[in-house]
Amino acid sequence: MLASRHVSTLADLPLIASGKVREMYGLSAPDDPSSASAQLLMVASDRISTYDAVHPTPIPDKGNVLTGLSVFWFEKTRQILPNHLISATDGVPEEVRGRALVVRRLQMLPVECVVRGYITGSGWKDYQRTGTVSGIELPGGLRESERLPEPIFTPSTKAESGHDEAIDFERAAELVGDAELMRRVAEVALELYSFAAEHALANGVILADTKFEFGIDEGASGAGDGLVVGDEMLTPDSSRYWPADGFEPGRGQPSFDKQYVRDWASAGGWDRTPPAPAIPPDVVAGTRARYLEAYERMTGEPFQAWLDRTGARAAG
Ligand code: Q0Z
């Protein structure tokens, strides 16, 4: 029997890239001869990583939540900047519905575009050592996790392996090869972050920082430079989500989504070197509930609505 003309099965698609918790596949170009560019299928798995190691136990619906959150933000920020999203349904194979997106293939800029509203993680480390982050001088006396006077753009390299390295704006402009474009990227990244952080905070979530990936849509029609936001957007895997309730500078903050896993793993004596341990059912359930809560707090709709809209398979 012939397969559907428009929806392939995942196994037939070429795997183009894979990360720790997601995969990217190539899709053949649509029949419409007016749509110039190639399309990709980005698939989010239910895998979870802590301390850079992937646990052998999945979190049911994590891929659905992250994909639904990306779509929420893509739609909500379209007035600020176009994005690569084509569809969460048309062309998405049945087996990955709800956790996969058909996107436009872009020429990705070779830098990670990080925006920080709070001083934490590698930014906190760099600040303690140098008083600066990505070449930006910060006020003295900041405490860990403190809100910054204003959000800062702190680009980093895209490391093929190992950790991304902070770079200053000038180096980022050099890598991109266009200082004017880089100024626009920084400006729009700050605008996207501020917009999202304000929405999150109104819903009890601190969006401490986030990483955007931008690209150029070479098939872009009409005016403009073709700059679009790609990849995943403002998800808990690309951002730090903290509960606003209990926020207290002077210490690290609990992660909105992963804290049960981290606490459980630490208490069990895992030394944070791979392999990451299997996660017990109660910790899986608590973590899944936190992901669903993040979706519902951000979007204001039941998570089930996302599953229904996309025809997602039942979790588990
Ligand atoms: C995204 C990544 C993933 C592994 C490249 N629209 C686009 N056009 C061209 N390239 C990309 C995108 Cl989003 C692109 N990544 C990150 C995503 C699995 C790596 F799902 N790398």
Side-chain angles (χ1 to χ4, degrees), residues 15-25 38-44 84-85 103-108 158 211 213 215-216 228-232:
L15 180 67
I16 288 181
S18 62
K20 285 201 294 284
V21 302
R22 15 185 230 149
E23 286 85 38
M24 204 169 62
Y25 297 87
Q39 300 180 359
L40 303 171
L41 185 75
M42 293 187 54
V43 182
H84 69 162
L85 176 63
V103 303
R104 242 174 279 285
R105 189 178 52 76
L106 308 173
Q107 288 298 332
M108 302 303 291
K158 279 186 184 175
K211 182 197 79 181
E213 296 213 20
I216 305 296
V228 306
V229 60
D231 206 39
E232 62 183 320

PDB file of all heavy atoms in Angstrom, residues 15-25 38-44 84-85 103-108 158 211 213 215-216 228-232, ligand 1:
ATOM      1  N   LEU A  15      18.259  11.773   8.579  1.00  0.00           N
ATOM      2  CA  LEU A  15      18.643  12.448   9.824  1.00  0.00           C
ATOM      3  C   LEU A  15      19.762  13.426   9.499  1.00  0.00           C
ATOM      4  O   LEU A  15      20.825  13.037   9.017  1.00  0.00           O
ATOM      5  CB  LEU A  15      19.110  11.414  10.853  1.00  0.00           C
ATOM      6  CG  LEU A  15      19.557  11.968  12.208  1.00  0.00           C
ATOM      7  CD1 LEU A  15      18.377  12.587  12.967  1.00  0.00           C
ATOM      8  CD2 LEU A  15      20.208  10.878  13.059  1.00  0.00           C
ATOM      9  N   ILE A  16      19.507  14.707   9.756  1.00  0.00           N
ATOM     10  CA  ILE A  16      20.481  15.740   9.387  1.00  0.00           C
ATOM     11  C   ILE A  16      21.336  16.135  10.569  1.00  0.00           C
ATOM     12  O   ILE A  16      22.524  16.413  10.415  1.00  0.00           O
ATOM     13  CB  ILE A  16      19.744  16.965   8.801  1.00  0.00           C
ATOM     14  CG1 ILE A  16      19.207  16.599   7.409  1.00  0.00           C
ATOM     15  CG2 ILE A  16      20.645  18.190   8.741  1.00  0.00           C
ATOM     16  CD1 ILE A  16      18.488  17.730   6.726  1.00  0.00           C
ATOM     17  N   ALA A  17      20.729  16.182  11.752  1.00  0.00           N
ATOM     18  CA  ALA A  17      21.490  16.558  12.952  1.00  0.00           C
ATOM     19  C   ALA A  17      20.798  15.964  14.160  1.00  0.00           C
ATOM     20  O   ALA A  17      19.576  15.755  14.141  1.00  0.00           O
ATOM     21  CB  ALA A  17      21.576  18.071  13.087  1.00  0.00           C
ATOM     22  N   SER A  18      21.580  15.676  15.179  1.00  0.00           N
ATOM     23  CA  SER A  18      20.948  15.258  16.425  1.00  0.00           C
ATOM     24  C   SER A  18      21.683  15.875  17.590  1.00  0.00           C
ATOM     25  O   SER A  18      22.901  16.051  17.567  1.00  0.00           O
ATOM     26  CB  SER A  18      20.918  13.735  16.539  1.00  0.00           C
ATOM     27  OG  SER A  18      22.217  13.226  16.555  1.00  0.00           O
ATOM     28  N   GLY A  19      20.895  16.281  18.578  1.00  0.00           N
ATOM     29  CA  GLY A  19      21.435  16.813  19.818  1.00  0.00           C
ATOM     30  C   GLY A  19      21.210  15.800  20.924  1.00  0.00           C
ATOM     31  O   GLY A  19      20.814  14.666  20.668  1.00  0.00           O
ATOM     32  N   LYS A  20      21.428  16.222  22.161  1.00  0.00           N
ATOM     33  CA  LYS A  20      21.259  15.309  23.289  1.00  0.00           C
ATOM     34  C   LYS A  20      19.810  14.839  23.409  1.00  0.00           C
ATOM     35  O   LYS A  20      19.569  13.690  23.747  1.00  0.00           O
ATOM     36  CB  LYS A  20      21.676  15.991  24.605  1.00  0.00           C
ATOM     37  CG  LYS A  20      23.198  16.110  24.762  1.00  0.00           C
ATOM     38  CD  LYS A  20      23.615  16.284  26.209  1.00  0.00           C
ATOM     39  CE  LYS A  20      23.153  17.587  26.822  1.00  0.00           C
ATOM     40  NZ  LYS A  20      23.938  18.752  26.400  1.00  0.00           N
ATOM     41  N   VAL A  21      18.876  15.751  23.114  1.00  0.00           N
ATOM     42  CA  VAL A  21      17.470  15.411  23.352  1.00  0.00           C
ATOM     43  C   VAL A  21      16.563  15.677  22.157  1.00  0.00           C
ATOM     44  O   VAL A  21      15.342  15.601  22.278  1.00  0.00           O
ATOM     45  CB  VAL A  21      16.927  16.138  24.611  1.00  0.00           C
ATOM     46  CG1 VAL A  21      17.752  15.772  25.837  1.00  0.00           C
ATOM     47  CG2 VAL A  21      16.896  17.646  24.425  1.00  0.00           C
ATOM     48  N   ARG A  22      17.120  16.005  20.997  1.00  0.00           N
ATOM     49  CA  ARG A  22      16.275  16.204  19.805  1.00  0.00           C
ATOM     50  C   ARG A  22      17.001  15.817  18.529  1.00  0.00           C
ATOM     51  O   ARG A  22      18.216  15.657  18.521  1.00  0.00           O
ATOM     52  CB  ARG A  22      15.755  17.630  19.653  1.00  0.00           C
ATOM     53  CG  ARG A  22      16.430  18.578  20.468  1.00  0.00           C
ATOM     54  CD  ARG A  22      15.917  19.961  20.459  1.00  0.00           C
ATOM     55  NE  ARG A  22      17.096  20.783  20.217  1.00  0.00           N
ATOM     56  CZ  ARG A  22      17.101  21.914  19.580  1.00  0.00           C
ATOM     57  NH1 ARG A  22      15.990  22.405  19.109  1.00  0.00           N
ATOM     58  NH2 ARG A  22      18.214  22.573  19.411  1.00  0.00           N
ATOM     59  N   GLU A  23      16.182  15.692  17.483  1.00  0.00           N
ATOM     60  CA  GLU A  23      16.723  15.320  16.178  1.00  0.00           C
ATOM     61  C   GLU A  23      16.159  16.255  15.118  1.00  0.00           C
ATOM     62  O   GLU A  23      15.075  16.809  15.274  1.00  0.00           O
ATOM     63  CB  GLU A  23      16.323  13.879  15.818  1.00  0.00           C
ATOM     64  CG  GLU A  23      17.083  12.816  16.586  1.00  0.00           C
ATOM     65  CD  GLU A  23      16.456  12.520  17.930  1.00  0.00           C
ATOM     66  OE1 GLU A  23      15.213  12.519  18.018  1.00  0.00           O
ATOM     67  OE2 GLU A  23      17.202  12.303  18.915  1.00  0.00           O
ATOM     68  N   MET A  24      16.909  16.383  14.047  1.00  0.00           N
ATOM     69  CA  MET A  24      16.453  17.184  12.922  1.00  0.00           C
ATOM     70  C   MET A  24      16.541  16.347  11.645  1.00  0.00           C
ATOM     71  O   MET A  24      17.578  15.761  11.363  1.00  0.00           O
ATOM     72  CB  MET A  24      17.315  18.428  12.791  1.00  0.00           C
ATOM     73  CG  MET A  24      16.638  19.554  12.092  1.00  0.00           C
ATOM     74  SD  MET A  24      17.605  21.058  12.257  1.00  0.00           S
ATOM     75  CE  MET A  24      19.060  20.540  11.436  1.00  0.00           C
ATOM     76  N   TYR A  25      15.434  16.293  10.894  1.00  0.00           N
ATOM     77  CA  TYR A  25      15.352  15.501   9.668  1.00  0.00           C
ATOM     78  C   TYR A  25      15.110  16.409   8.466  1.00  0.00           C
ATOM     79  O   TYR A  25      14.533  17.487   8.601  1.00  0.00           O
ATOM     80  CB  TYR A  25      14.188  14.501   9.765  1.00  0.00           C
ATOM     81  CG  TYR A  25      14.351  13.472  10.859  1.00  0.00           C
ATOM     82  CD1 TYR A  25      13.918  13.740  12.161  1.00  0.00           C
ATOM     83  CD2 TYR A  25      14.948  12.240  10.608  1.00  0.00           C
ATOM     84  CE1 TYR A  25      14.067  12.795  13.178  1.00  0.00           C
ATOM     85  CE2 TYR A  25      15.102  11.294  11.618  1.00  0.00           C
ATOM     86  CZ  TYR A  25      14.661  11.581  12.894  1.00  0.00           C
ATOM     87  OH  TYR A  25      14.811  10.652  13.891  1.00  0.00           O
ATOM     88  N   ALA A  38      13.991  24.638   1.092  1.00  0.00           N
ATOM     89  CA  ALA A  38      13.858  23.321   1.695  1.00  0.00           C
ATOM     90  C   ALA A  38      13.283  23.424   3.102  1.00  0.00           C
ATOM     91  O   ALA A  38      13.337  24.467   3.745  1.00  0.00           O
ATOM     92  CB  ALA A  38      15.208  22.643   1.736  1.00  0.00           C
ATOM     93  N   GLN A  39      12.720  22.296   3.540  1.00  0.00           N
ATOM     94  CA  GLN A  39      12.106  22.264   4.854  1.00  0.00           C
ATOM     95  C   GLN A  39      12.742  21.183   5.721  1.00  0.00           C
ATOM     96  O   GLN A  39      13.267  20.196   5.204  1.00  0.00           O
ATOM     97  CB  GLN A  39      10.597  22.028   4.713  1.00  0.00           C
ATOM     98  CG  GLN A  39       9.934  23.136   3.902  1.00  0.00           C
ATOM     99  CD  GLN A  39       8.441  22.943   3.750  1.00  0.00           C
ATOM    100  OE1 GLN A  39       7.880  21.972   4.238  1.00  0.00           O
ATOM    101  NE2 GLN A  39       7.797  23.886   3.081  1.00  0.00           N
ATOM    102  N   LEU A  40      12.675  21.427   7.025  1.00  0.00           N
ATOM    103  CA  LEU A  40      13.237  20.494   7.996  1.00  0.00           C
ATOM    104  C   LEU A  40      12.148  20.071   8.963  1.00  0.00           C
ATOM    105  O   LEU A  40      11.164  20.786   9.157  1.00  0.00           O
ATOM    106  CB  LEU A  40      14.364  21.176   8.788  1.00  0.00           C
ATOM    107  CG  LEU A  40      15.525  21.744   7.974  1.00  0.00           C
ATOM    108  CD1 LEU A  40      16.434  22.585   8.868  1.00  0.00           C
ATOM    109  CD2 LEU A  40      16.316  20.605   7.338  1.00  0.00           C
ATOM    110  N   LEU A  41      12.345  18.921   9.586  1.00  0.00           N
ATOM    111  CA  LEU A  41      11.468  18.463  10.655  1.00  0.00           C
ATOM    112  C   LEU A  41      12.288  18.420  11.939  1.00  0.00           C
ATOM    113  O   LEU A  41      13.259  17.655  12.031  1.00  0.00           O
ATOM    114  CB  LEU A  41      10.907  17.068  10.338  1.00  0.00           C
ATOM    115  CG  LEU A  41       9.879  16.542  11.343  1.00  0.00           C
ATOM    116  CD1 LEU A  41       8.530  17.259  11.159  1.00  0.00           C
ATOM    117  CD2 LEU A  41       9.695  15.028  11.202  1.00  0.00           C
ATOM    118  N   MET A  42      11.916  19.257  12.892  1.00  0.00           N
ATOM    119  CA  MET A  42      12.609  19.267  14.189  1.00  0.00           C
ATOM    120  C   MET A  42      11.791  18.452  15.165  1.00  0.00           C
ATOM    121  O   MET A  42      10.622  18.772  15.401  1.00  0.00           O
ATOM    122  CB  MET A  42      12.751  20.690  14.716  1.00  0.00           C
ATOM    123  CG  MET A  42      13.683  21.552  13.883  1.00  0.00           C
ATOM    124  SD  MET A  42      13.960  23.141  14.679  1.00  0.00           S
ATOM    125  CE  MET A  42      14.502  22.582  16.260  1.00  0.00           C
ATOM    126  N   VAL A  43      12.395  17.445  15.750  1.00  0.00           N
ATOM    127  CA  VAL A  43      11.678  16.518  16.624  1.00  0.00           C
ATOM    128  C   VAL A  43      12.251  16.593  18.038  1.00  0.00           C
ATOM    129  O   VAL A  43      13.448  16.359  18.241  1.00  0.00           O
ATOM    130  CB  VAL A  43      11.775  15.068  16.100  1.00  0.00           C
ATOM    131  CG1 VAL A  43      10.989  14.126  16.994  1.00  0.00           C
ATOM    132  CG2 VAL A  43      11.275  14.983  14.659  1.00  0.00           C
ATOM    133  N   ALA A  44      11.388  16.907  18.998  1.00  0.00           N
ATOM    134  CA  ALA A  44      11.801  16.937  20.405  1.00  0.00           C
ATOM    135  C   ALA A  44      11.452  15.599  21.045  1.00  0.00           C
ATOM    136  O   ALA A  44      10.323  15.121  20.922  1.00  0.00           O
ATOM    137  CB  ALA A  44      11.101  18.076  21.133  1.00  0.00           C
ATOM    138  N   HIS A  84      10.939  30.606  11.860  1.00  0.00           N
ATOM    139  CA  HIS A  84      11.045  29.550  10.844  1.00  0.00           C
ATOM    140  C   HIS A  84       9.875  28.577  10.824  1.00  0.00           C
ATOM    141  O   HIS A  84       9.840  27.682   9.979  1.00  0.00           O
ATOM    142  CB  HIS A  84      12.367  28.798  11.003  1.00  0.00           C
ATOM    143  CG  HIS A  84      12.464  27.959  12.245  1.00  0.00           C
ATOM    144  ND1 HIS A  84      13.400  26.953  12.380  1.00  0.00           N
ATOM    145  CD2 HIS A  84      11.757  27.968  13.410  1.00  0.00           C
ATOM    146  CE1 HIS A  84      13.272  26.382  13.570  1.00  0.00           C
ATOM    147  NE2 HIS A  84      12.285  26.976  14.211  1.00  0.00           N
ATOM    148  N   LEU A  85       8.904  28.752  11.733  1.00  0.00           N
ATOM    149  CA  LEU A  85       7.807  27.775  11.822  1.00  0.00           C
ATOM    150  C   LEU A  85       6.944  27.762  10.560  1.00  0.00           C
ATOM    151  O   LEU A  85       6.483  28.808  10.106  1.00  0.00           O
ATOM    152  CB  LEU A  85       6.923  28.100  13.033  1.00  0.00           C
ATOM    153  CG  LEU A  85       5.685  27.207  13.199  1.00  0.00           C
ATOM    154  CD1 LEU A  85       6.083  25.745  13.428  1.00  0.00           C
ATOM    155  CD2 LEU A  85       4.817  27.710  14.343  1.00  0.00           C
ATOM    156  N   VAL A 103       9.781  23.227   9.668  1.00  0.00           N
ATOM    157  CA  VAL A 103      10.358  24.576   9.673  1.00  0.00           C
ATOM    158  C   VAL A 103      11.086  24.851   8.355  1.00  0.00           C
ATOM    159  O   VAL A 103      11.455  23.926   7.630  1.00  0.00           O
ATOM    160  CB  VAL A 103      11.332  24.771  10.861  1.00  0.00           C
ATOM    161  CG1 VAL A 103      10.635  24.502  12.190  1.00  0.00           C
ATOM    162  CG2 VAL A 103      12.584  23.896  10.717  1.00  0.00           C
ATOM    163  N   ARG A 104      11.260  26.128   8.091  1.00  0.00           N
ATOM    164  CA  ARG A 104      12.022  26.549   6.926  1.00  0.00           C
ATOM    165  C   ARG A 104      13.519  26.372   7.199  1.00  0.00           C
ATOM    166  O   ARG A 104      13.995  26.736   8.279  1.00  0.00           O
ATOM    167  CB  ARG A 104      11.751  28.035   6.669  1.00  0.00           C
ATOM    168  CG  ARG A 104      11.113  28.362   5.360  1.00  0.00           C
ATOM    169  CD  ARG A 104      10.768  29.848   5.276  1.00  0.00           C
ATOM    170  NE  ARG A 104       9.521  30.138   5.955  1.00  0.00           N
ATOM    171  CZ  ARG A 104       8.321  29.836   5.466  1.00  0.00           C
ATOM    172  NH1 ARG A 104       8.198  29.231   4.298  1.00  0.00           N
ATOM    173  NH2 ARG A 104       7.230  30.133   6.144  1.00  0.00           N
ATOM    174  N   ARG A 105      14.210  25.857   6.221  1.00  0.00           N
ATOM    175  CA  ARG A 105      15.662  25.777   6.377  1.00  0.00           C
ATOM    176  C   ARG A 105      16.279  27.169   6.238  1.00  0.00           C
ATOM    177  O   ARG A 105      15.943  27.898   5.310  1.00  0.00           O
ATOM    178  CB  ARG A 105      16.291  24.843   5.354  1.00  0.00           C
ATOM    179  CG  ARG A 105      17.763  24.568   5.613  1.00  0.00           C
ATOM    180  CD  ARG A 105      18.370  23.599   4.603  1.00  0.00           C
ATOM    181  NE  ARG A 105      18.123  24.019   3.224  1.00  0.00           N
ATOM    182  CZ  ARG A 105      18.777  25.007   2.615  1.00  0.00           C
ATOM    183  NH1 ARG A 105      19.716  25.668   3.253  1.00  0.00           N
ATOM    184  NH2 ARG A 105      18.475  25.327   1.370  1.00  0.00           N
ATOM    185  N   LEU A 106      17.121  27.498   7.189  1.00  0.00           N
ATOM    186  CA  LEU A 106      17.743  28.828   7.222  1.00  0.00           C
ATOM    187  C   LEU A 106      19.253  28.704   7.067  1.00  0.00           C
ATOM    188  O   LEU A 106      19.827  27.635   7.274  1.00  0.00           O
ATOM    189  CB  LEU A 106      17.463  29.505   8.576  1.00  0.00           C
ATOM    190  CG  LEU A 106      16.012  29.568   9.053  1.00  0.00           C
ATOM    191  CD1 LEU A 106      15.970  30.121  10.474  1.00  0.00           C
ATOM    192  CD2 LEU A 106      15.176  30.439   8.111  1.00  0.00           C
ATOM    193  N   GLN A 107      19.870  29.841   6.750  1.00  0.00           N
ATOM    194  CA  GLN A 107      21.325  29.962   6.929  1.00  0.00           C
ATOM    195  C   GLN A 107      21.529  30.464   8.347  1.00  0.00           C
ATOM    196  O   GLN A 107      21.316  31.645   8.633  1.00  0.00           O
ATOM    197  CB  GLN A 107      21.912  30.955   5.910  1.00  0.00           C
ATOM    198  CG  GLN A 107      21.934  30.439   4.487  1.00  0.00           C
ATOM    199  CD  GLN A 107      22.796  29.198   4.307  1.00  0.00           C
ATOM    200  OE1 GLN A 107      23.759  28.983   5.043  1.00  0.00           O
ATOM    201  NE2 GLN A 107      22.442  28.370   3.335  1.00  0.00           N
ATOM    202  N   MET A 108      21.909  29.549   9.250  1.00  0.00           N
ATOM    203  CA  MET A 108      21.994  29.923  10.658  1.00  0.00           C
ATOM    204  C   MET A 108      23.216  30.807  10.907  1.00  0.00           C
ATOM    205  O   MET A 108      24.292  30.568  10.347  1.00  0.00           O
ATOM    206  CB  MET A 108      22.086  28.673  11.540  1.00  0.00           C
ATOM    207  CG  MET A 108      20.914  27.692  11.376  1.00  0.00           C
ATOM    208  SD  MET A 108      19.293  28.413  11.680  1.00  0.00           S
ATOM    209  CE  MET A 108      19.372  28.711  13.439  1.00  0.00           C
ATOM    210  N   LYS A 158      29.345  28.650  19.047  1.00  0.00           N
ATOM    211  CA  LYS A 158      28.654  27.370  18.912  1.00  0.00           C
ATOM    212  C   LYS A 158      29.722  26.298  18.923  1.00  0.00           C
ATOM    213  O   LYS A 158      30.326  26.020  17.890  1.00  0.00           O
ATOM    214  CB  LYS A 158      27.881  27.317  17.590  1.00  0.00           C
ATOM    215  CG  LYS A 158      26.549  28.010  17.619  1.00  0.00           C
ATOM    216  CD  LYS A 158      25.803  27.789  16.327  1.00  0.00           C
ATOM    217  CE  LYS A 158      24.500  28.569  16.321  1.00  0.00           C
ATOM    218  NZ  LYS A 158      23.799  28.466  15.035  1.00  0.00           N
ATOM    219  N   LYS A 211      18.506  31.457  25.295  1.00  0.00           N
ATOM    220  CA  LYS A 211      19.388  31.402  24.129  1.00  0.00           C
ATOM    221  C   LYS A 211      18.550  31.350  22.866  1.00  0.00           C
ATOM    222  O   LYS A 211      17.736  30.450  22.699  1.00  0.00           O
ATOM    223  CB  LYS A 211      20.267  30.151  24.208  1.00  0.00           C
ATOM    224  CG  LYS A 211      21.262  30.030  23.062  1.00  0.00           C
ATOM    225  CD  LYS A 211      21.805  28.624  22.951  1.00  0.00           C
ATOM    226  CE  LYS A 211      20.818  27.719  22.251  1.00  0.00           C
ATOM    227  NZ  LYS A 211      21.276  26.326  22.140  1.00  0.00           N
ATOM    228  N   GLU A 213      18.548  31.269  18.554  1.00  0.00           N
ATOM    229  CA  GLU A 213      19.357  31.056  17.351  1.00  0.00           C
ATOM    230  C   GLU A 213      18.646  31.744  16.204  1.00  0.00           C
ATOM    231  O   GLU A 213      17.468  31.490  15.955  1.00  0.00           O
ATOM    232  CB  GLU A 213      19.535  29.565  17.086  1.00  0.00           C
ATOM    233  CG  GLU A 213      20.313  28.910  18.217  1.00  0.00           C
ATOM    234  CD  GLU A 213      21.179  27.762  17.755  1.00  0.00           C
ATOM    235  OE1 GLU A 213      21.493  27.696  16.544  1.00  0.00           O
ATOM    236  OE2 GLU A 213      21.525  26.931  18.600  1.00  0.00           O
ATOM    237  N   GLY A 215      18.639  33.033  12.037  1.00  0.00           N
ATOM    238  CA  GLY A 215      19.104  32.639  10.722  1.00  0.00           C
ATOM    239  C   GLY A 215      18.594  33.592   9.679  1.00  0.00           C
ATOM    240  O   GLY A 215      17.758  34.464   9.954  1.00  0.00           O
ATOM    241  N   ILE A 216      19.090  33.423   8.483  1.00  0.00           N
ATOM    242  CA  ILE A 216      18.633  34.218   7.347  1.00  0.00           C
ATOM    243  C   ILE A 216      17.793  33.312   6.453  1.00  0.00           C
ATOM    244  O   ILE A 216      18.235  32.229   6.067  1.00  0.00           O
ATOM    245  CB  ILE A 216      19.827  34.786   6.545  1.00  0.00           C
ATOM    246  CG1 ILE A 216      20.763  35.597   7.462  1.00  0.00           C
ATOM    247  CG2 ILE A 216      19.315  35.626   5.374  1.00  0.00           C
ATOM    248  CD1 ILE A 216      20.149  36.836   8.066  1.00  0.00           C
ATOM    249  N   VAL A 228      15.348  35.894  10.713  1.00  0.00           N
ATOM    250  CA  VAL A 228      14.261  35.216  11.415  1.00  0.00           C
ATOM    251  C   VAL A 228      14.833  34.479  12.617  1.00  0.00           C
ATOM    252  O   VAL A 228      16.022  34.169  12.669  1.00  0.00           O
ATOM    253  CB  VAL A 228      13.483  34.216  10.513  1.00  0.00           C
ATOM    254  CG1 VAL A 228      12.978  34.882   9.254  1.00  0.00           C
ATOM    255  CG2 VAL A 228      14.322  33.023  10.161  1.00  0.00           C
ATOM    256  N   VAL A 229      13.975  34.194  13.584  1.00  0.00           N
ATOM    257  CA  VAL A 229      14.388  33.383  14.733  1.00  0.00           C
ATOM    258  C   VAL A 229      14.064  31.925  14.414  1.00  0.00           C
ATOM    259  O   VAL A 229      13.002  31.608  13.869  1.00  0.00           O
ATOM    260  CB  VAL A 229      13.750  33.887  16.056  1.00  0.00           C
ATOM    261  CG1 VAL A 229      12.238  33.856  16.010  1.00  0.00           C
ATOM    262  CG2 VAL A 229      14.271  33.099  17.243  1.00  0.00           C
ATOM    263  N   GLY A 230      15.037  31.045  14.695  1.00  0.00           N
ATOM    264  CA  GLY A 230      14.888  29.635  14.381  1.00  0.00           C
ATOM    265  C   GLY A 230      14.976  28.768  15.624  1.00  0.00           C
ATOM    266  O   GLY A 230      14.758  29.243  16.745  1.00  0.00           O
ATOM    267  N   ASP A 231      15.248  27.485  15.403  1.00  0.00           N
ATOM    268  CA  ASP A 231      15.477  26.521  16.486  1.00  0.00           C
ATOM    269  C   ASP A 231      14.261  26.435  17.410  1.00  0.00           C
ATOM    270  O   ASP A 231      13.136  26.646  16.988  1.00  0.00           O
ATOM    271  CB  ASP A 231      16.749  26.902  17.243  1.00  0.00           C
ATOM    272  CG  ASP A 231      17.409  25.705  17.921  1.00  0.00           C
ATOM    273  OD1 ASP A 231      17.422  24.622  17.328  1.00  0.00           O
ATOM    274  OD2 ASP A 231      17.904  25.855  19.045  1.00  0.00           O
ATOM    275  N   GLU A 232      14.466  26.071  18.648  1.00  0.00           N
ATOM    276  CA  GLU A 232      13.397  26.128  19.638  1.00  0.00           C
ATOM    277  C   GLU A 232      13.422  27.522  20.230  1.00  0.00           C
ATOM    278  O   GLU A 232      14.434  28.208  20.155  1.00  0.00           O
ATOM    279  CB  GLU A 232      13.587  25.064  20.728  1.00  0.00           C
ATOM    280  CG  GLU A 232      14.855  25.209  21.550  1.00  0.00           C
ATOM    281  CD  GLU A 232      15.031  24.085  22.574  1.00  0.00           C
ATOM    282  OE1 GLU A 232      14.044  23.673  23.200  1.00  0.00           O
ATOM    283  OE2 GLU A 232      16.179  23.638  22.750  1.00  0.00           O
TER     284      GLU A 232
HETATM  285  C1  Q0Z B   1      19.021  23.855  14.061  1.00  0.00           C
HETATM  286  C2  Q0Z B   1      19.557  21.444  16.247  1.00  0.00           C
HETATM  287  C3  Q0Z B   1      17.765  19.862  16.441  1.00  0.00           C
HETATM  288  C4  Q0Z B   1      19.972  19.092  16.425  1.00  0.00           C
HETATM  289  C5  Q0Z B   1      20.709  23.593  12.731  1.00  0.00           C
HETATM  290  N1  Q0Z B   1      15.605  26.287  10.471  1.00  0.00           N
HETATM  291  C6  Q0Z B   1      16.868  25.767  10.490  1.00  0.00           C
HETATM  292  N2  Q0Z B   1      17.618  25.805   9.385  1.00  0.00           N
HETATM  293  C7  Q0Z B   1      18.855  25.297   9.376  1.00  0.00           C
HETATM  294  N3  Q0Z B   1      19.407  24.755  10.462  1.00  0.00           N
HETATM  295  C8  Q0Z B   1      18.729  24.691  11.630  1.00  0.00           C
HETATM  296  C9  Q0Z B   1      17.423  25.196  11.671  1.00  0.00           C
HETATM  297 CL1  Q0Z B   1      16.475  25.190  13.084  1.00  0.00          CL
HETATM  298  C10 Q0Z B   1      19.423  24.082  12.774  1.00  0.00           C
HETATM  299  N4  Q0Z B   1      20.016  23.267  14.741  1.00  0.00           N
HETATM  300  C11 Q0Z B   1      20.025  22.841  16.122  1.00  0.00           C
HETATM  301  C12 Q0Z B   1      18.214  21.169  16.319  1.00  0.00           C
HETATM  302  C13 Q0Z B   1      18.646  18.818  16.505  1.00  0.00           C
HETATM  303  C14 Q0Z B   1      20.437  20.397  16.299  1.00  0.00           C
HETATM  304  F1  Q0Z B   1      16.468  19.619  16.496  1.00  0.00           F
HETATM  305  N5  Q0Z B   1      21.046  23.099  13.944  1.00  0.00           N
END
